[in-house]
Amino acid sequence: MTFVPGLTLAQRFHDEVLAPLLARHRPGLRYAAGLLDGGSELLGLDTARSTDHDWGPRALLLVADPAEVAGLRVLLDAELPARFLDWPTRFRGGPEVRLGVADPAGERHGVQVAELGGWLRDRLGFDPRTGIGVADWLATPTQRLAELTGGAVFHDGLDGALHTVRARLAWYPDDVWRHVLAACWTRIGQSEHLAGRCAEVGDELGSRVVAAGLARDVLRLGLLLHRRWPPYDKWLGTVFAGLPAAGPVVAALGDALGPGAWADRQAGLVRALETVGGWTNDTGLAEAVDPTARTFHERPFLVLDGGRFATALRAGIADPVLRARPPLGAVDQYVDSVDVLTHPERVRRVAAALLPE
């Protein structure tokens, strides 16, 4: 089978199979369709390797009336063709997999059918059509926001509801953006001196581990500064490298994580941090901060002192309640468990537990 990008395959599957089928059997049906429910193809990053699971002719079909869901599932199960563009339209896999492996003998097809509001609450823990509060933003992992605002919409026959949702989730309000950026800089400020201290006592492994953690924070911060939702780690470097201004930071972090000694590691980290410090000033979200490195107290380690940027950003927050919160940021800045972040009810419980009393 010849590989085609998953979004292209899904668009054609909708246009050439799903839409005509619905027009024949459910004329007048109001629905929205797209691909927004996860997968590398939503970011345009799928390859032939991606086809080994959760990949194939598929689509998300959303309706306004929950009473229509069961009947549509039965209809599609009976009427979808066995193959499309030589790809099986059915999948096999147990209950622990999202979709499974494309297989002509599979027990399920690749069209997910759901009522729009219920699907949104299942994916996010809330329905953006009724408003998005600060707690909603901060309890939503950026990977999930990347999925819902990425991917594609093939048809929006629900009075534009799906386009409205995507527009509302496009980016943080400025105060929330400041808070999340401040949390990034706080994390950096708390650990940027540790790589040097590890190296000073001969712990090269520990120094490299700290440097790698800082590099991850720099990538996430850089994407947030460019209004891009950071994806999960598999695609973090790829998406960051696609930023127009990424080249110097990619090169600097390559030095920081390369085989060189501590001096090379520190030089790379400093160049990367100075660059994203300048990017922070460029947003205009806070008073400008001098983005040049300095020694850590009286110790011979160069740092940017990320806390300075965090303080400036927090001072720019207009909402006094949000400004008073500790700089924890969004939930995926302090939680990295997949088994938490992929379950909105768990994410929201964790985030709610950390709200000020």
Side-chain angles (χ1 to χ4, degrees):
M1 294 175 285
T2 302
F3 174 76
V4 295
L7 282 180
T8 300
L9 181 66
Q11 175 80 65
R12 290 191 59 183
F13 184 54
H14 170 266
D15 294 350
E16 299 174 31
V17 174
L18 186 57
L21 189 157
L22 293 174
R24 287 195 308 273
H25 295 275
R26 293 289 191 277
L29 176 71
R30 297 176 62 249
Y31 75 93
L35 204 60
L36 306 169
D37 58 346
S40 301
E41 59 267 49
L42 270 65
L43 302 179
L45 297 174
D46 53 326
T47 66
R49 176 70 66 196
S50 308
T51 65
D52 61 4
H53 71 286
D54 295 343
W55 194 99
R58 65 188 190 92
L60 171 67
L61 177 63
L62 298 168
V63 295
D65 184 356
E68 295 175 323
V69 171
L72 286 169
R73 288 173 177 166
V74 171
L75 170 67
L76 295 171
D77 195 53
E79 297 293 333
L80 284 174
R83 289 183 175 271
F84 177 70
L85 297 184
D86 205 32
W87 286 93
T89 62
R90 304 189 76 83
F91 297 79
R92 61 173 171 82
E96 299 304 316
V97 301
R98 179 166 62 87
L99 191 58
V101 178
D103 186 333
E107 67 274 13
R108 49 187 165 174
H109 56 72
V111 181
Q112 181 184 1
V113 185
E115 181 266 326
L116 175 59
W119 183 81
L120 289 168
R121 289 186 292 274
D122 182 63
R123 296 297 289 176
L124 295 168
F126 65 97
D127 186 338
R129 296 175 299 170
T130 62
I132 309 174
V134 169
D136 297 320
W137 283 117
L138 297 181
T140 305
T142 53
Q143 168 67 27
R144 190 54 52 88
L145 292 167
E147 293 168 356
L148 277 140
T149 57
V153 175
F154 310 141
H155 175 74
D156 195 354
L158 298 178
D159 300 322
L162 206 48
H163 286 301
T164 296
V165 166
R166 281 158 61 87
R168 291 182 178 179
L169 295 173
W171 197 247
Y172 291 130
D174 280 356
D175 269 1
V176 177
W177 191 12
R178 291 183 178 98
H179 175 76
V180 169
L181 293 174
C184 287
W185 277 114
T186 297
R187 284 175 57 91
I188 288 169
Q190 290 167 344
S191 62
E192 57 185 324
H193 63 287
L194 299 178
R197 181 60 175 140
C198 291
E200 186 180 55
V201 298
D203 182 7
E204 281 293 303
L205 176 59
S207 179
R208 293 178 190 281
V209 169
V210 173
L214 282 165
R216 181 178 186 271
D217 285 338
V218 166
L219 295 184
R220 289 182 59 88
L221 173 58
L223 287 169
L224 289 165
L225 288 167
H226 285 83
R227 298 172 64 95
R228 292 289 303 274
W229 298 122
Y232 73 121
D233 286 353
K234 179 170 68 171
W235 298 123
L236 184 59
T238 301
V239 174
F240 180 87
L243 294 176
V249 178
V250 171
L253 292 179
D255 291 340
L257 301 178
W262 160 240
D264 302 307
R265 197 173 311 129
Q266 176 174 256
L269 287 172
V270 165
R271 295 202 316 276
L273 287 168
E274 288 182 337
T275 301
V276 295
W279 291 352
T280 304
N281 290 337
D282 292 343
T283 66
L285 291 169
E287 291 291 327
V289 175
D290 179 13
T292 55
R294 67 276 326 276
T295 57
F296 180 71
H297 300 294
E298 302 301 320
R299 297 183 178 187
F301 315 131
L302 287 177
V303 297
L304 210 64
D305 191 3
R308 298 178 301 127
F309 291 88
T311 297
L313 286 159
R314 294 181 71 185
I317 297 174
D319 178 357
V321 175
L322 183 57
R323 188 170 62 246
R325 286 190 181 189
L328 298 175
V331 66
D332 53 352
Q333 292 179 273
Y334 54 86
V335 174
D336 62 6
S337 168
V338 172
D339 288 322
V340 174
L341 296 178
T342 56
H343 292 79
E345 72 284 358
R346 297 175 186 170
V347 173
R348 291 173 74 84
R349 287 203 303 271
V350 170
L354 297 176
L355 292 177
E357 295 182 359

